[in-house]
Amino acid sequence: MKASILPIYTEERKKDCVLRLKAAEGQLRGLQDMLEKQRPCMEVLTQLAAVQKALRQVGRIVLRNYLENCATEAIRQSDPSAYDELMEAIYKFAQ
């Protein structure tokens, strides 16, 4: 697929993703600390679930942005690789 026109993300989406990633980063650090301090398994699992949810949310935002902007533009331009890339994106995030 051809390179996207910049900016790829709106300021609002970019800020939302960055905030979520910073939160996930803090949660990951907390997980490391929890393991080092031998915290109970259920506490660690709860924190792991929170990190995974935060990352999934960022993935949803980026995927939506991809569908609304990158994929739509490539399809409009009759880019033959657009459908293959779209299918790849769907399979990556459908797991």
Side-chain angles (χ1 to χ4, degrees):
M1 197 177 294
K2 295 175 185 172
S4 299
I5 297 171
L6 296 177
I8 296 171
Y9 307 99
T10 63
E11 278 301 312
E12 181 181 335
R13 278 191 178 155
K14 184 174 75 172
K15 285 180 185 177
D16 190 15
C17 285
V18 168
L19 285 174
R20 289 174 188 273
L21 288 170
K22 286 182 179 184
E25 181 181 31
Q27 290 169 323
L28 282 170
R29 284 194 196 109
L31 270 166
Q32 292 170 1
D33 189 56
M34 290 173 80
L35 289 170
E36 288 173 5
K37 291 181 178 175
Q38 299 289 316
R39 301 298 302 169
C41 293
M42 284 308 298
E43 288 181 22
V44 173
L45 289 169
T46 299
Q47 191 70 3
L48 277 169
V51 171
Q52 290 170 337
K53 183 177 179 182
L55 293 176
R56 277 192 306 272
Q57 287 297 87
V58 173
R60 287 176 57 135
I61 294 166
V62 173
L63 182 58
R64 181 178 188 99
N65 192 77
Y66 168 74
L67 293 172
E68 289 178 354
N69 300 306
C70 305
T72 301
E73 186 59 33
I75 291 167
R76 277 193 195 122
Q77 294 178 4
S78 299
D79 184 338
S81 67
Y83 295 102
D84 291 334
E85 190 172 288
L86 178 57
M87 290 301 295
E88 183 181 337
I90 291 169
Y91 282 119
K92 277 184 184 176
F93 291 98
Q95 297 176 14

